[in-house]
Amino acid sequence: MSDSNKQMEQNSPLKTNNWFASWFDSPYYHILYKERDEMEAQLFMDNLVHYLNLPEEAKILDLACGKGRHSIYLNKMGFNVTGADLSSNSIAIAKDFENETLNFVVHDMRKPFDQKFDAIFNLFTSFGYFESEEDNFTTLKAIKESISEYGFAVIDFMNVPNVLANLIPEEVKIVDNINFYIKRYMKDGYIFKEIDFEDQGKKYHFTEKVKAIALEDFETMMENAGIYLLDVFGDYKLKKFHKKESERLILIFK
């Protein structure tokens, strides 16, 4: 285990073997990121659905769905949606929105589902969390095995060269009267975000750690997994990908 993860376990009352399991289950994760752009997210969903030309009532898997905001929107568009996430707390919240065509489950993305989907969406940099590169490869294979014969999968990842060029080393974000002190840096092939704050007399420290996977790295993994990369886009409007300028790395494959 890295020193940062050890520190996280020592300083945080929420203990775990993986940084993402404790941080994503923490209420503070949802506080810090509460201001995410809903309109932009819905525009992305609209563009994806249109591009993929999904049939009515298509079965969609929202993989790493969090509290289900995108699953709920996709369901309102008429699709049969399953939202899956490792965070039991997030899934418990999402389950309040379940209906006959919207279901939420606790699931490890490294494991394939026992059903096939017409589309699998892995959105907003919800990939590359694992310590082992083999786990990332296993996740790709699990996604491939869960796609129907005529289905598609989408990974929406950060564009690493652009992120590194615009990395803000330190900043303070104030949300709900909590001062989140954030540090960002690159180390050992990962982009780290250290988050420190105090609330109700307790000090907290969490670490986000995401593998810096570039397009060529995805291409190699996909080739080894027998995956066919159909298209690559650089933003939520599905504009052409440019290695240095694009904000996102959006991969369409099957």
Side-chain angles (χ1 to χ4, degrees):
M1 182 183 294
S2 68
D3 290 339
S4 59
N5 278 351
K6 287 179 181 177
Q7 186 179 3
M8 178 183 67
E9 288 202 353
Q10 290 168 358
N11 293 357
S12 171
L14 299 163
K15 295 186 177 181
T16 182
N17 292 325
N18 295 305
W19 69 262
F20 47 86
S22 68
W23 178 220
F24 293 163
D25 253 348
S26 161
Y28 297 106
Y29 170 81
H30 300 290
I31 292 172
L32 177 59
Y33 294 116
K34 67 185 295 184
E35 299 302 328
R36 283 177 168 167
D37 191 332
E38 290 294 331
M39 292 299 294
E40 183 182 55
Q42 292 180 4
L43 173 67
F44 183 31
M45 296 300 96
D46 292 340
N47 290 336
L48 268 183
V49 166
H50 178 75
Y51 171 81
L52 296 175
N53 193 25
L54 295 176
E56 291 184 21
E57 300 181 357
K59 293 174 63 177
I60 298 178
L61 171 62
D62 183 8
L63 191 60
C65 68
K67 292 193 291 184
R69 62 184 180 137
H70 307 111
S71 299
I72 294 166
Y73 183 69
L74 289 164
N75 182 243
K76 288 179 179 178
M77 294 173 71
F79 299 111
N80 189 326
V81 182
T82 298
D85 200 279
L86 189 65
S87 168
S88 57
N89 287 351
S90 292
I91 291 298
I93 294 169
K95 277 187 170 294
D96 287 340
F97 299 92
E98 284 189 331
N99 58 51
E100 290 184 358
T101 56
L102 177 61
N103 297 284
F104 292 97
V105 295
V106 176
H107 182 83
D108 187 324
M109 67 170 62
R110 289 169 289 190
K111 299 178 181 179
F113 275 74
D114 56 4
Q115 60 176 303
K116 304 289 185 180
F117 296 91
D118 299 305
I120 298 177
F121 295 163
N122 181 247
L123 306 172
F124 301 98
T125 310
S126 299
F127 192 91
Y129 296 156
F130 304 109
E131 293 284 344
S132 167
E133 289 191 31
E134 182 63 28
D135 283 335
N136 293 325
F137 183 64
T138 299
T139 299
L140 275 180
K141 290 193 296 183
I143 292 173
K144 180 178 184 292
E145 291 176 25
S146 302
I147 305 171
S148 65
E149 182 180 358
Y150 300 103
F152 302 92
V154 179
I155 290 179
D156 162 36
F157 200 67
M158 61 181 171
N159 180 25
V160 171
N162 180 269
V163 168
L164 293 177
N166 296 282
L167 200 68
I168 301 173
E170 296 187 20
E171 68 173 323
V172 181
K173 287 189 175 182
I174 303 173
V175 187
D176 289 358
N177 296 318
I178 300 173
N179 293 343
F180 292 93
Y181 297 88
I182 301 170
K183 294 182 179 180
R184 300 178 181 88
Y185 56 91
M186 176 85 166
K187 181 181 178 182
D188 298 331
Y190 288 83
I191 295 175
F192 284 81
K193 183 188 289 185
E194 305 279 357
I195 304 162
D196 290 277
F197 57 94
E198 184 174 332
D199 186 40
Q200 297 181 5
K202 290 185 178 180
K203 292 184 177 180
Y204 295 84
H205 175 86
F206 289 97
T207 301
E208 293 183 12
K209 174 182 176 181
V210 182
K211 182 72 175 176
I213 309 173
L215 173 57
E216 51 268 29
D217 301 317
F218 273 110
E219 289 174 332
T220 299
M221 282 194 292
M222 288 180 174
E223 183 177 354
N224 292 336
I227 287 172
Y228 182 59
L229 181 59
L230 297 167
D231 220 334
V232 182
F233 297 109
D235 65 17
Y236 295 141
K237 296 180 181 178
L238 302 187
K239 292 182 180 179
K240 183 178 179 180
F241 176 77
H242 296 280
K243 185 174 182 179
K244 292 183 179 180
E245 292 85 15
S246 293
E247 293 183 359
R248 307 301 299 171
L249 173 61
I250 300 170
L251 307 156
I252 316 289
F253 59 94
K254 63 184 306 177

